[in-house]
Amino acid sequence: MDSKLAASAVGRRGPRWWQTGVVYEIYPRSFADSNGDGVGDLAGITARLDYLAWLGIDAIWIAPFYPSPMADFGYDVANYTDVDPIFGSLADFDALLGGAHARGIRVLIDYVPNHTSDQHPWFRESRASRDNPRRNWYYWRDAKPDGELPNNWISMFAGPAWEWDEATGQFYLHTFLKEQPDLNWRNSDARAAMFDAARFWLDRGVDGFRIDVAPMVMKDPELRDNPPNPDWDGTHRLGTWGMQLHDNDHAHPDMHPLYRDFRRLLESYDGDRVSIGELHHPDFDRWAAYYGEEQDEIHIPFNFHLTHAPWTADGIRRAIEGVQGVLPPGAYANWVLGNHDQPRFASPHRGGRDQARVALLLLLTLRGNPTLYYGEEIGMVDVPVATEDSHDPLERREPGRGRDPERSPMQWDASPNAGFCPPHVSPWLPIARDAAEVNVAAQGEDPDSLLTLTRRLLKLRREHPILLGGEFEALGPTPDGIYAFRRTAGHGRVTVALNLTGQPRTLPAAGDGRVLIGTHRDRDGSDATGDLELRPNEAVVIEEPAAG
Ligand code: GLC
C-alpha cells in the first residue's frame, strides 16, 4: 500500500479513516470524457485526480463501470471482473487506482449483489433449462394454478417483479428491470461466486465497496406476499412501490450474518478496507441495525435521512438528532445530501442555490463521514430532460421519477461542453445552461465561491480535532428557522449555527468565541459574543476558548 495511505490506516489515534473521511461519489459516465465519445470514462477520472487531491477529499466511490448492456446504466452487470469498453480497460482501472493512491485518495467501487444483467453468463445458463446447475442461482417459480404470478411483489421500477420465461415455463424475479434478474443469495455457489468477485477487486487493491441496495439480497425464504400499505394515497417518492409494505421482499434478518461474513472478508485484507451499504429505511432503529450488534457488519450504513428531510430547521433537526440518537456506542454516522438517484441539493425544488452554502457547511461539520456527490461543490443543479428524450428507463416507466437530471456532465470550465468532452462532440446528457458561469475553473479562482468554501471546510475539518472526531451535542430549542448544534472534545467546543431561511434570524446567547468559518467570508475570524445575528442563508462555525 502507498505510504500516505498506510500512515493514516495504522498507528493513528482517534477515528479510523472511514469514520470521518470524506467520500466523493463519481458517476463515471458524467465526470470526464477522455476519448471524445461523449461518455465519461476511467481515464477521464485519472486525468482529474489532481483536482480531487486539491479539493481535499479522502476517497472516491465510482458507480459501476463493469461490462453491461446498460439497461440501467451499469447497474445491470454482465461481468463482475472486468471494465466495460465504454469506460476503458482493466489497465485503465489500475492506472486510476495507482494514481489515486499516490495522492492519498482511497478508491471504493460499486458492488451490485442483488441482481445481475440478464446477459450475464450465469443468468443465460440459469434460463437455459430447468435442470441447469445454475438454475437456482436466480429465483425461478411456477405460475400459480390459476396462471397468476407467484406472489404480489412489485418492481421498484414499476410493474410486477416477475417475468415469464416462455422457454422454460416459469417466472423469474426482478426487483428492478426485467433485464436485472435477482440473484439467489441463499444458494451457496452463487454467494461464493459473488465473494470471489469481491476478492478479485480487493486483490487488485481497492479500498472497499459501496453495496448497491444492500438489504435487498435477503428476502423471505418462502417469498410470501407483501401486505398492502394502509397509508398509500397514490403518491410516494418511489411511485407505485409505495403501495405495499415491503416486509417480505427485502431486509430479511438473514442479511445480518451475510454482512458479518462480508466484513470478515474485507478485514482479512490489510489497509482498513470498508463497505458502505445503500439503505433507505425511514425508521431510525432499522437503519442503525446495519452497524451490527457488535458493530461488525456494514462499516458505513448510508444515511439518507438528510437527503429526504424537508429543508427546514425542524426537518433537519429531526433527521440529525434521530440519527444521532440511535447510533451504537462510539459509532459515527454517514451524511449525504444527494447522489445519482436523488435530486441535486442546489436545485430549486430541493434546498436551492441560496441554501447550498448552508448545506455544505452542515454536511462538513456534522460528526461522521460525509459523502459529496460530484458537482455539489460548485452548486450544480438538476438539468431537466423531457420524458421522450430520457435515457433513464425509470422515466419512461414512471414519468417524473427519471434520474437523468442529476446525472448531467460535470462542469469543469466555460468551454462549449463545459470541459466534459471536446466541443464538437455530443455529450450523452445535456450540459447545464449555466455551465459557463457555474464551473470549477471560474469558482476555483473566486475566493467567495461555493467551491472555495467547500475546499476551506474540507481543510478545516481535516485539521481541527473537534470537527474531525468531537462528540455531537444537540442544542435547543432554537428560534424558528435556525438549527444549531455543538461539537465537543475535552474542554473544547465548537458551535455550528445555521439560518435555514431567507430572512435575518437571531440565535440568543450563542456563546462567546471566534468565527472559524462561515458561509459569508467577511465573518471569518470575527468575534462572536452574546446573541448571534445571522443574515439570510448564513451559517457560521464558532470556536469557544477551552474552559479552565
Ligand atoms: C441502486 C442504484 C440505482 C440503481 C438501482 C438498481 O439504488 O443506486 O442507480 O438503479 O440500485 O441497481
Side-chain angles (χ1 to χ4, degrees), residues 383-392 395-396 399-400 402 404-405 429-430:
V383 177
V385 176
T387 305
E388 58 275 20
D389 300 330
S390 74
H391 292 254
D392 185 3
E395 177 64 24
R396 291 165 189 266
D404 289 343
L429 278 175

Side-chain angles (χ1 to χ4, degrees), residues 315-338:
I316 67 170
R317 177 192 304 282
R318 275 196 299 276
I320 294 169
E321 294 172 12
V323 164
Q324 286 295 146
V326 295
L327 283 179
Y332 290 72
N334 159 270
W335 302 102
V336 48
L337 295 170

Side-chain angles (χ1 to χ4, degrees), residues 246-391:
H246 294 276
D247 290 356
N248 293 324
D249 56 2
H250 82 316
H252 187 275
D254 286 349
M255 79 203 155
H256 293 291
L258 170 64
Y259 285 125
R260 277 199 290 279
D261 283 354
F262 197 71
R263 184 160 178 149
R264 272 195 287 274
L265 170 67
L266 291 163
E267 291 181 347
S268 69
Y269 285 79
D270 64 355
D272 236 356
R273 322 269 183 120
V274 296
S275 61
I276 303 180
E278 187 201 10
L279 313 159
H280 288 274
H281 292 303
D283 178 273
F284 293 114
D285 286 305
R286 283 193 78 188
W287 167 78
Y290 291 84
Y291 284 91
E293 277 178 27
E294 305 290 328
Q295 293 187 50
D296 54 357
E297 295 180 24
I298 290 178
H299 291 78
I300 307 173
F302 246 133
N303 162 25
F304 290 102
H305 287 97
L306 211 50
T307 320
H308 301 315
W311 198 253
T312 60
D314 284 344
I316 67 170
R317 177 192 304 282
R318 275 196 299 276
I320 294 169
E321 294 172 12
V323 164
Q324 286 295 146
V326 295
L327 283 179
Y332 290 72
N334 159 270
W335 302 102
V336 48
L337 295 170
N339 72 7
H340 65 281
D341 298 322
Q342 313 291 339
R344 282 192 176 271
F345 180 82
S347 307
H349 49 283
R350 185 63 190 117
R353 277 241 166 87
D354 290 345
Q355 280 286 313
R357 288 165 176 272
V358 175
L360 281 170
L361 187 141
L362 172 66
L363 183 76
L364 298 175
T365 55
L366 279 168
R367 180 176 192 274
N369 136 261
T371 305
L372 279 166
Y373 182 47
Y374 81 92
E376 252 167 23
E377 71 275 27
I378 54 172
M380 278 174 60
V381 293
D382 290 350
V383 177
V385 176
T387 305
E388 58 275 20
D389 300 330
S390 74
H391 292 254

Side-chain angles (χ1 to χ4, degrees), residues 189-207:
D189 292 336
R191 176 182 159 130
M194 284 302 291
F195 270 54
D196 281 348
R199 280 190 195 97
F200 173 88
W201 295 101
L202 291 166
D203 289 341
R204 271 194 128 75
V206 303
D207 298 284

